[in-house]
C-alpha cells in the first residue's frame, strides 16, 4: 500500500481524495507542515509516499504519471510529489529542515513545491513530469480553480492516454498497421487486470505455436504460421502499450520483452528449417537459418556496442557532417519513414517473414531475410562509422568498460593481457584492426581448407586468440573501438557455422544452430544487464562459458579430435551445457532484481 499525505488548505467539493484512492493510495490529512512531517515519520520506509496539495487540479492520468510511475525514485508536478523507498531518506531530511514560525509562510503555504526544490538540490533523480496536453496545476484562488476545471473539461483524457500509450518512435508498419488498433487491445487488457508480462508470455506462446505450424512442412501449416506470427507481433506491441497505458513498468518485464523477441524470431527460424526438411522437397536450409540468426544477432551487437560506447568526455565534440545530413533529411517528411524502413525493423521484418512464409518456401524466406538484413546492416554500420570518424573526444571509462564487457573475452585473453590496460591514443585503429584480423584469419582458414577439422585449425585458433588479446590490451576509447564486439561475434558464430557445414554429418547444422542460440542469449543478456545499470554478468560466468576465444578453441579441438558424428554429438552437448548455465544465472539475476526493487526500466529506443 502507498500513502498519500494531503497538506494545505482544504478545498470543498474536491474529488482529489477519491482520485488518490483510485490510484491505490491510503489518504491521510495533515493540517500543516509539522503534521506532514509527523505522518512521513510514521509511514513505512519501504513504501511509496506522496505529498499532495489539496488545491491541485488536473486530470487523473496526469496525477497517475506523477505519482505511480515506478521508473523514477522521485517525481513531481505542481502540487504533487512522490518518492519511492530509494529517495525516502532525502524527503525526510527535506521535511525535517523546513523551519516553523513567523516568516516561514512562503515555505509552508505550498509545501509540495518546497519539498520538490529540496529533492532537486539533493540530486536523487527527481523527474519533473511534463503532462503535455493534460492539465496538472496548483489553483490557489477560486478563479484559478474554475479556469483549471474548464481546461480539464476541454481535454479528452482517455484519447491522450491512448495516444501516449504508443511508442513515440516506431517503424512504418507498426505505426500504421498495428498501433491504430493494438492500443485498444492494450486498454482492454488493462481493464481486465492483465499485466504486460502476461501479454508478453502470450506473444511468446503464439510465436512458438507459429514455429510449430511452420515445422509441419505443409502449405496449410505455413499459412497458419504466417498468420500466427503476425498475431504474435500484435501482442508484442500490445505489451509495451499496456505498460505505458497503465504505467506497469518493471525490470523483469523489460528483460522478458527483449529476450522473448529474440526467442520468438529464432525459434521461428528453426521451425522453418524443420518444415523445409519435412516438406515435399526435403530441402535442407539449416545453414540459411543459422546464417539469418547470425546476421540478425550481429546487427544487434553493432547497435548495442555503438550506443553503449557513445559516452565521451566533455560531451563528445562536434556533431559532424553525417549528423548534420541526418538532421536535414529528418526535415523532409517522407525520408524519415524511408530511413526507418531501410533498417528493416522488427515490424517490417516480421511482416515480410509472415507473408513470404504463407506464399512461398522457407528457402525464399531466408534468402529475402539475408539480403534485406545485409543491406540494412551495411546502411546502419556505414552511417555509424562516418559519425564516429568525426569525433575527437575520448570515450569515458564507463563506456570503455561496457565495450570490453560486450567483447566477452575469456580466461585465455585475460591471461595474455595480464589484466593490465595502458592508455589508448584517441583515434587509434589498433583495437578494431586486431579484432577484425582475429576473426578474419580464422574464418578465411576454415573456409579455404579442404578439411578444416584439423590440428592446424586449432593452431590458427590460438593465433586468433593472440590477436584478440592485442585488441583488448588497451582501453577501448578509440573512435571506432565499438566495432570490436561485432567483429568478435561475427567471427565466433561464422566459424561454428562453417565447421558444422563442412562436417558433412546429419544434424551438425541444427546442433550448431542450438550452440549459437545459447551463446547469443548470453550476449543479449550481457547487453540488458549493462542497459539496466547492473553491469556485465559476473566474471565467474564469463570464465565458465570460456569467453569468445575459449569457445572457439573448444569447437576447433572437438572438430579435430572427433569424427563427424561425434562432433555433432559434442556440439549438441556443448549447446545444452551452455544454455543451462547462462539461462540459470540469467533467470536468477533478473528474478532477484525484480524482487529486490531494482529500478524499473522501459526501452523507448530504436525498434529492434
Amino acid at each position: 500500500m502507498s500513502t498519500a499525505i494531503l497538506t494545505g488548505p482544504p478545498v470543498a467539493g474536491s474529488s482529489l481524495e477519491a482520485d488518490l484512492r483510485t490510484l491505490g493510495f491510503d489518504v491521510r490529512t495533515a493540517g500543516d507542515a509539522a503534521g506532514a512531517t509527523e505522518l512521513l515519520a510514521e509511514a513505512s520506509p519501504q513504501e511509496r509516499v506522496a505529498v499532495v496539495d489539496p488545491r491541485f487540479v488536473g486530470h487523473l492520468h496526469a496525477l497517475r504519471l506523477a505519482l505511480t510511475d515506478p521508473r523514477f525514485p522521485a517525481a513531481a508536478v505542481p502540487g504533487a510529489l512522490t518518492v519511492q523507498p530509494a529517495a525516502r531518506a532525502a524527503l525526510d531530511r527535506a521535511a525535517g529542515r523546513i523551519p516553523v514560525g513567523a516568516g516561514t509562510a512562503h515555505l509552508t503555504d505550498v509545501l509540495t513545491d518546497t519539498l520538490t526544490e529540496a529533492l532537486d538540490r539533493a540530486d536523487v533523480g527527481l523527474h519533473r513530469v511534463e503532462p503535455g496536453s493534460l492539465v496538472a496545476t496548483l489553483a490557489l484562488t477560486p478563479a484559478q480553480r474554475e479556469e483549471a476545471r474548464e481546461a480539464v473539461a476541454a481535454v479528452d483524457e482517455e484519447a491522450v492516454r491512448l495516444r501516449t500509450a504508443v511508442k513515440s518512435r516506431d517503424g512504418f508498419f507498426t505505426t500504421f498497421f498495428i498501433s491504430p488498433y493494438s492500443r485498444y487491445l492494450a486498454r482492454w487488457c488493462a481493464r481486465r487486470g492483465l499485466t504486460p508480462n502476461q501479454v508478453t508470455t502470450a506473444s511468446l506462446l503464439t510465436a512458438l505455436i507459429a514455429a510449430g505450424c511452420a515445422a509441419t512442412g505443409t502449405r496449410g501449416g505455413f499459412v497458419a504460421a504466417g498468420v500466427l506470427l503476425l498475431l504474435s507481433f500484435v501482442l508484442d506491441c500490445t505489451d509495451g502499450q499496456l505498460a505505458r497505458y497503465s504505467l506497469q513498468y518493471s525490470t523483469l518485464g523489460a528483460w522478458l520483452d527483449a529476450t522473448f523477441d529474440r526467442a520468438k524470431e529464432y525459434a521461428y527460424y528453426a521451425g522453418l528449417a524443420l518444415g523445409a526438411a519435412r516438406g515435399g522437397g526435403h530441402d535442407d536450409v539449416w545453414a540459411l537459418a543459422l546464417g539469418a540468426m547470425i546476421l540478425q544477432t550481429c546487427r544487434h551487437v553493432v547497435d548495442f556496442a555503438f550506443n553503449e560506447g557513445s559516452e565521451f568526455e566533455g560531451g563528445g565534440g562536434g556533431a559532424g557532417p553525417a549528423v548534420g545530413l541526418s538532421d536535414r533529411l529528418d526535415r523532409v517528411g517522407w525520408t524519415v519513414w524511408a530511413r526507418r524502413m531501410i533498417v528493416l525493423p522488427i515490424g517490417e521484418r516480421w511482416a515480410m517473414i509472415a507473408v513470404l512464409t504463407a506464399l512461398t518456401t522457407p528457402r525464399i524466406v531466408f534468402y529475402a531475410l539475408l539480403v534485406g538484413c545485409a543491406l540494412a546492416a551495411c546502411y546502419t554500420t556505414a552511417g555509424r562509422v562516418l559519425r564516429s570518424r568525426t569525433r575527437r573526444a575520448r570515450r569515458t571509462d564507463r563506456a570503455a568498460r561496457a565495450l570490453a564487457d560486450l567483447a566477452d573475452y575469456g580466461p585465455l585473453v585475460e591471461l595474455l593481457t595480464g589484466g593490465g590496460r595502458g592508455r589508448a591514443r584517441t583515434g587509434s585503429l589498433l583495437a578494431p584492426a586486431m579484432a577484425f584480423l582475429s576473426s578474419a584469419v580464422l574464418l578465411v582458414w576454415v573456409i579455404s581448407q579442404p578439411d578444416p577439422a584439423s590440428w592446424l585449425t586449432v593452431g590458427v585458433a590460438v593465433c586468433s586468440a593472440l590477436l584478440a588479446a592485442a585488441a583488448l590490451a588497451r582501453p577501448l576509447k578509440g573512435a571506432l573501438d565499438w566495432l570490436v564486439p561485432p567483429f568478435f561475434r561475427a567471427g565466433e558464430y561464422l566459424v561454428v557455422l562453417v565447421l558444422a557445414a563442412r562436417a558433412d554429418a546429419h544434424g551438425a547444422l541444427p546442433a550448431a544452430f542450438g550452440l549459437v542460440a545459447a551463446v547469443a542469449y548470453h550476449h543479449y543478456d550481457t547487453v540488458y544487464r549493462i542497459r539496466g545499470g547492473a553491469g556485465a554478468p559476473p566474471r565467474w560466468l564469463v570464465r565458465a562459458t570460456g569467453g569468445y576465444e575459449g569457445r572457439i578453441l573448444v569447437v576447433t579441438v572437438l572438430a579435430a579430435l572427433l569424427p563427424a558424428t561425434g562432433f555433432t554429438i559434442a556440439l549438441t552437448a556443448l549447446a545444452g551445457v551452455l544454455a543451462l548455465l547462462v539461462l540459470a544465472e540469467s533467470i536468477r539475476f533478473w528474478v532477484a532484481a525484480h524482487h529486490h526493487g531494482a529500478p524499473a526500466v522501459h526501452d523507448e529506443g530504436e525498434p529492434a
Side-chain angles (χ1 to χ4, degrees):
M1 189 70 176
S2 302
T3 297
I5 300 170
L6 285 174
T7 176
V11 176
S14 172
S15 63
L16 185 57
E17 287 194 37
D19 287 346
L20 290 170
R21 291 192 176 94
T22 298
L23 298 179
F25 285 93
D26 177 24
V27 182
R28 308 183 70 180
T29 303
D32 53 22
T37 302
E38 291 178 5
L39 291 178
L40 282 172
E42 294 174 4
S44 168
Q46 301 304 315
E47 68 175 325
R48 175 190 288 270
V49 172
V51 181
V52 184
D53 194 303
R55 295 167 291 183
F56 172 86
V57 179
H59 289 98
L60 175 61
H61 192 55
L63 204 60
R64 181 184 289 109
L65 290 169
L67 302 185
T68 67
D69 195 326
R71 295 174 296 175
F72 310 106
V77 290
L81 166 72
T82 185
V83 297
Q84 295 200 66
R88 275 295 303 279
L91 177 63
D92 293 342
R93 286 194 300 271
R97 291 171 181 166
I98 294 178
V100 295
T104 63
H106 67 289
L107 295 175
T108 57
D109 182 50
V110 185
L111 182 61
T112 53
D113 286 0
T114 301
L115 293 175
T116 297
E117 293 301 325
L119 288 180
D120 209 1
R121 290 193 298 271
D123 195 24
V124 296
L126 175 72
H127 173 65
R128 293 183 182 270
V129 177
E130 295 291 341
S133 56
L134 298 175
V135 177
T137 188
L138 194 61
L140 301 180
T141 67
Q144 290 176 349
R145 176 168 292 276
E146 184 61 29
E147 183 181 353
R149 285 174 173 170
E150 291 176 358
V152 169
V155 176
D156 186 343
E157 177 182 12
E158 183 60 21
V160 173
R161 191 178 177 189
L162 280 171
R163 185 175 68 250
T164 55
V166 177
K167 188 183 290 187
S168 58
R169 178 182 174 88
D170 222 327
F172 179 86
F173 180 78
T174 305
T175 300
F176 293 103
F177 292 92
I178 304 296
S179 292
Y181 57 87
S182 62
R183 69 184 74 180
Y184 295 101
L185 179 57
R187 181 174 66 181
W188 183 89
C189 292
R191 290 177 175 176
R192 283 153 184 81
L194 296 177
T195 67
N197 290 353
Q198 290 171 332
V199 178
T200 301
T201 303
S203 176
L204 173 67
L205 294 175
T206 304
L208 293 179
I209 295 172
C213 291
T216 63
T218 63
R219 177 52 51 194
F222 288 147
V223 172
V227 172
L228 288 171
L229 187 65
L230 287 177
L231 176 59
S232 174
F233 182 65
V234 171
L235 293 173
D236 182 56
C237 295
T238 301
D239 63 3
Q241 291 164 359
L242 174 59
R244 286 181 285 273
Y245 182 86
S246 56
L247 301 185
Q248 296 184 74
Y249 304 113
S250 71
T251 300
L252 182 63
W255 171 68
L256 289 176
D257 185 49
T259 55
F260 281 8
D261 277 352
R262 307 287 78 79
K264 288 180 288 190
E265 186 166 1
Y266 299 160
Y268 192 83
Y269 292 176
L272 283 175
L274 287 170
R278 297 182 62 182
H282 298 289
D283 194 10
D284 187 352
V285 296
W286 275 106
L288 296 177
L290 181 50
M293 181 169 68
I294 290 171
L295 180 54
Q296 187 58 31
T297 303
C298 288
R299 282 186 64 201
H300 286 142
V301 174
V302 168
D303 294 342
F304 298 148
F306 180 80
N307 292 329
E308 295 304 323
S310 294
E311 183 180 291
F312 294 87
E313 297 173 359
V323 178
L325 175 60
S326 178
D327 292 340
R328 288 195 296 275
L329 288 174
D330 282 344
R331 290 193 288 269
V332 182
W334 67 269
T335 66
V336 174
W337 294 115
R339 291 164 64 209
R340 291 187 191 179
M341 293 173 69
I342 287 172
V343 301
L344 206 64
I346 189 170
E348 277 76 355
R349 193 169 66 250
W350 282 28
M352 180 184 74
I353 293 171
V355 171
L356 291 179
T357 298
L359 299 180
T360 63
T361 66
R363 181 172 288 274
I364 293 177
V365 173
F366 287 124
Y367 282 155
L369 261 177
L370 289 167
V371 171
C373 288
L375 292 174
C378 291
Y379 171 77
T380 55
T381 305
R384 286 166 177 171
V385 168
L386 289 175
R387 288 170 183 249
S388 299
R389 290 300 296 159
T390 62
R391 293 191 183 275
R392 296 293 179 264
R394 283 169 58 86
R395 190 169 280 110
T396 64
D397 290 339
R398 190 215 66 82
R401 179 70 259 171
L403 291 181
D405 291 333
L406 290 175
D408 192 35
Y409 61 91
L412 180 56
V413 166
E414 210 169 7
L415 178 65
L416 292 171
T417 58
R421 293 176 182 273
R423 294 181 60 83
R425 183 168 58 87
T426 301
S428 171
L429 296 177
L430 178 64
M434 292 296 101
F436 173 77
L437 288 174
S438 174
S439 296
V441 166
L442 181 57
L443 188 58
V444 170
W445 174 269
V446 296
I447 291 174
S448 62
Q449 292 303 299
D451 182 15
S454 68
W455 291 107
L456 280 176
T457 300
V458 176
V460 177
V462 172
C463 295
S464 174
L466 293 173
L467 291 169
L472 295 168
R474 294 168 178 259
L476 299 178
K477 293 192 172 185
L480 293 177
D481 285 358
W482 57 269
L483 287 169
V484 170
F487 283 149
F488 285 164
R489 295 296 76 77
E492 178 182 0
Y493 299 159
L494 289 172
V495 165
V496 173
L497 186 157
V498 173
L499 288 176
R502 300 288 297 277
D504 196 24
H506 179 71
L509 280 168
F513 188 97
L515 176 59
V516 171
V519 176
Y521 176 87
H522 168 59
H523 292 144
Y524 281 116
D525 186 55
T526 300
V527 170
Y528 302 138
R529 293 194 195 210
I530 293 173
R531 281 188 169 182
R539 281 305 298 172
W540 72 260
L541 178 65
V542 177
R543 293 186 183 109
T545 61
Y548 150 74
E549 78 289 352
R551 288 188 297 269
I552 287 181
L553 275 173
V554 169
V555 171
T556 55
V557 167
L558 290 174
L561 191 62
L562 300 172
T565 302
F567 179 60
T568 299
I569 295 172
L571 283 183
T572 304
L574 183 60
V577 170
L578 286 177
L580 287 174
L581 184 63
V582 299
L583 277 172
E585 164 56 21
S586 175
I587 293 171
R588 182 210 62 78
F589 170 81
W590 289 104
V591 171
H594 177 71
H595 289 307
H596 292 166
V601 296
H602 193 73
D603 183 14
E604 291 286 352
E606 292 281 350

